[in-house]
Amino acid sequence: MLEYDVAIVGGGPIGGHIASEIARKKFKVAVFEKNKEIGMPVNCAGLVTPRVFDFLDIPKDSVVQNEIKGANIHSPSGNVITIGGDKVHALVINRSKFDKEIINEAEKKGADIFVNNGVLSAQRIENHVELKTSQKQDIKCKLLIGSDGPYSKIRDRFALPEPKEFLRGIGAEITNTNLDPNFVEIFVGKNIAPGFFAWIISTNKKGTEARAGLCISQKTIHSPKQYFSNFLKSKYTHSFFEKIEITKYIAGIVPLGVLKKTFDSNVLVVGDAAAQVKPTSGGGIYAGLLCANRCSSVSIEALQKGDYTSGFLKKYQKLWSEDIGRELYLGMKFRKIYKSLSDKQFDKYIEKFRNPKISAVITKHGDIDYPSKLIKPLLKKSPSLLRLVPGAIIE
Ligand SMILES: Cc1cc2nc3c(=O)[nH]c(=O)nc-3n(C[C@H](O)[C@H](O)[C@H](O)COP(=O)(O)OP(=O)(O)OC[C@H]3O[C@@H](n4cnc5c(N)ncnc54)[C@H](O)[C@@H]3O)c2cc1C
C-alpha cells in the first residue's frame, strides 16, 4: 500500500494548485487523474481575470493567447451595448497548457502525479482514508481532497450536499473568424441560450481565431447541440462567422450553487466539486483557486497538528465563505432574476444600459470576479433598476 499525507482526486487546475501548495511544505502528496493526459479534453472558454496569475507560479506568457478590454453585449433583438474598452479586463488562456503548467509546478515541488489512474473507491478507516485506483493501487492517506469536477464522486461518497444546478455547456474552436480581438461578444436571449448566454472570444490578437460557445439550463426545448448549431448560423453572428472552419468541439458541465458543507472528517472538496463557480459567468477558475488556497492552508495546519476531524476541517468552510461566499450567494440570487427575464425584458434593460452614463458606470466599477460591486454605483445612477436587485445587497 502506498502512503501519502494527502491524496488529491482530479488533476485539473484546482487539484494541481493544491498539490503545489502542500508539496511546497514538504508533505507527501499524490494527485490521481483519470484521464490519460492532463488538460485534455478541454471543456472551457478560457477567459480569466489577470488576478488568477497572482495565485500561480507558472509562466504567464506561455499560456496567455490574447487580452480582452471589453465586451459587446447583444440583446435578443440585435441591439448591442459596449462596455469596457479602457484597459485589460480579462485574459484568454490556452486551457490545456494552463492545466499542464500547474501540474508541472506541483511535480517540481515534489508531488507525485498519476495519470490514467482514476480513483474508484474511498473508505474512511479510523483516522485515515483508503483508496483503490483503476491501476489497481491501494492508497492510504491522512487527508483526501476531492477536486474531481462537477460530478464529484468524493462529494457523493462522503454524502456532502449537491450543487443546486448543473448548466450544460457546448462550444468549439474556430478559425477564419472576423472579430475585434479586444472585445468578447456576448449574446443573451431565450432562443439563443435559455438560462445563460452565448459567447465568442478571440483566441489570437488578429481576431481570426476564436472559441465560441454557450451554456443553457438543465431543462430546455432543444439540445445544447441544436442551440449551438443555430447560434453559428444566426443572423446576429453572421458577420463574425462568414467563412469559418470548426477545428474542435468542446462540451462540459458547470455546477452552480455552493455547498453548505464542503468537509467531513479526513475529507475536503474544492473547485467545481464544491460548485465554487460564479453563477453570473460560469467562471470557476478564479473562485476555485481562491478556495484552493484556503483548502491548502487548512490541510497544512491539519497535518502539522495531526487533527483531521471535521471539527477542525470546518475552518476551511469558514475561510472560503468569508472570501467569496457572499459573492457566490448573491450571484445565485441574480441568477434567479436573470432566468425569469423574458426576451422583451432583456431588450428593455439592455436598451437602458445603452445610456452612456450607465455604461460608463459599468466600465468603471465592473469586475468579472466580483459583479456585486457594480450594484450600488449602478443603482445610484439609475434607481429604476432597483426591481432587478435582490434585497440582500442593499442592506
Ligand atoms: C463550456 C465551459 C466553459 C467554461 N469557461 C470558463 C471560463 O472561460 N473561465 C473560467 O474561469 N471557467 C470556465 N469554466 C469553468 C472551469 O472550466 C471550471 O470551473 C474549472 O475547470 C474547475 O477546475 P477543477 O480543477 O475544479 O475541475 P476540473 O477542471 O473539472 O478537473 C477535475 C478533474 O478531475 C478528474 N476526475 C474526475 N473524477 C475522477 C476520479 N474518480 N479519479 C481521478 N480523476 C478524476 C477529471 O478527469 C478532471 O481532469 C467553463 C466550463 C465549461 C463547461
Side-chain angles (χ1 to χ4, degrees):
M1 178 158 326
L2 282 172
E3 291 194 23
Y4 285 95
D5 292 316
V6 181
I8 299 173
V9 187
I14 307 307
H17 179 58
I18 294 169
S20 246
E21 291 301 296
I22 299 178
R24 188 203 291 276
K25 295 285 179 186
K26 306 290 172 222
F27 289 106
K28 229 180 148 220
V29 184
V31 177
F32 296 90
E33 169 54 53
K34 70 177 178 185
N35 290 334
K36 283 197 184 102
E37 190 181 337
I38 296 290
M40 293 299 277
V42 175
N43 38 32
C44 179
L47 195 71
V48 296
T49 50
R51 58 169 77 91
V52 155
F53 287 91
D54 298 344
F55 296 124
L56 303 167
D57 281 337
I58 63 169
K60 186 173 163 186
D61 292 346
S62 73
V63 295
V64 173
Q65 299 173 302
N66 188 20
E67 295 179 338
I68 299 297
K69 295 194 173 134
N72 294 319
I73 302 177
H74 300 246
S75 78
S77 65
N79 284 329
V80 184
I81 54 161
T82 299
I83 51 175
D86 54 331
K87 59 172 187 190
V88 173
H89 288 273
L91 303 171
V92 184
I93 56 168
N94 177 327
R95 178 58 203 273
S96 172
K97 257 194 186 168
F98 180 76
D99 289 18
K100 285 186 174 83
E101 291 285 2
I102 293 175
I103 282 286
N104 286 346
E105 199 49 46
E107 202 165 19
K108 268 197 231 158
K109 295 205 170 95
D112 288 345
I113 312 295
F114 296 88
V115 291
N116 197 17
N117 203 1
V119 169
L120 302 180
S121 69
Q123 199 179 359
R124 189 187 300 112
I125 298 171
E126 294 166 2
N127 199 18
H128 67 270
V129 178
E130 290 186 8
L131 310 176
K132 288 198 185 302
T133 75
S134 58
Q135 288 191 13
K136 305 206 183 326
Q137 280 169 318
D138 291 322
I139 311 293
K140 183 175 169 184
C141 62
K142 295 169 185 158
L143 275 177
L144 174 67
I145 295 178
S147 53
D148 49 342
Y151 292 136
S152 167
K153 275 206 176 114
I154 302 304
R155 181 182 70 220
D156 293 352
R157 170 65 189 84
F158 292 92
L160 296 172
E162 284 271 298
K164 291 204 172 55
E165 211 181 331
F166 293 92
L167 299 175
R168 295 170 295 161
I170 185 164
E173 302 261 353
I174 296 174
T175 57
N176 281 336
T177 51
N178 180 23
L179 291 160
D180 179 341
N182 296 310
F183 286 82
V184 295
E185 309 294 328
I186 303 285
F187 300 80
V188 298
K190 298 228 182 285
N191 290 325
I192 292 188
F196 215 61
F197 58 82
W199 60 83
I200 312 172
I201 302 168
S202 176
T203 51
N204 69 6
K205 290 188 163 48
K206 292 187 198 151
T208 54
E209 290 179 4
R211 235 166 257 142
L214 53 85
C215 278
I216 58 176
S217 296
Q218 262 160 307
K219 286 185 188 150
T220 51
I221 300 171
H222 306 296
S223 66
K225 211 172 155 189
Q226 185 64 56
Y227 281 107
F228 189 54
S229 158
N230 294 347
F231 176 60
L232 294 178
K233 290 184 285 194
S234 143
K235 63 179 175 185
Y236 302 126
T237 59
H238 181 73
S239 62
F240 308 120
F241 286 163
E242 219 173 334
K243 293 177 195 144
I244 56 162
E245 272 173 49
I246 291 181
T247 53
K248 203 188 285 169
Y249 279 96
I250 60 167
I253 297 293
V254 177
L256 297 181
V258 285
L259 318 187
K260 287 220 167 73
K261 191 173 177 224
T262 51
F263 60 93
D264 199 8
S265 295
N266 305 88
V267 179
L268 298 163
V269 290
V270 62
D272 272 19
Q276 288 158 338
V277 177
K278 289 169 283 177
T280 42
S281 69
I285 297 176
Y286 170 72
L289 287 173
L290 191 67
C291 299
N293 275 354
R294 294 308 197 174
C295 179
S296 314
S297 66
V298 171
S299 300
I300 291 165
E301 220 184 314
L303 290 162
Q304 286 163 343
K305 288 187 156 80
D307 187 349
Y308 315 109
T309 58
S310 85
F312 179 74
L313 296 178
K314 74 174 180 216
K315 187 172 180 184
Y316 159 60
Q317 179 97 22
K318 181 175 174 287
L319 290 174
W320 75 252
S321 299
E322 281 168 8
D323 288 342
I324 202 160
R326 180 176 155 82
E327 188 67 45
L328 301 181
Y329 166 79
L330 286 174
M332 282 309 270
K333 292 256 177 199
F334 277 111
R335 170 148 182 75
K336 202 168 165 200
I337 296 164
Y338 181 87
K339 277 198 295 187
S340 73
L341 294 180
S342 66
D343 278 4
K344 262 195 177 159
Q345 286 168 312
F346 272 128
D347 275 321
K348 194 173 122 196
Y349 286 113
I350 286 177
E351 195 50 45
K352 229 180 213 316
F353 291 156
R354 271 157 70 99
N355 173 338
K357 282 186 187 155
I358 295 188
S359 52
V361 171
I362 302 177
T363 299
K364 185 168 172 204
H365 298 278
D367 183 332
I368 307 172
D369 293 328
Y370 296 94
S372 74
K373 282 185 185 168
L374 190 56
I375 301 308
K376 283 184 183 164
L378 253 187
L379 283 180
K380 219 171 143 193
K381 196 51 83 190
S382 179
S384 65
L385 290 171
L386 197 63
R387 78 188 74 133
L388 270 185
V389 176
I393 197 132
I394 318 161
E395 283 161 9

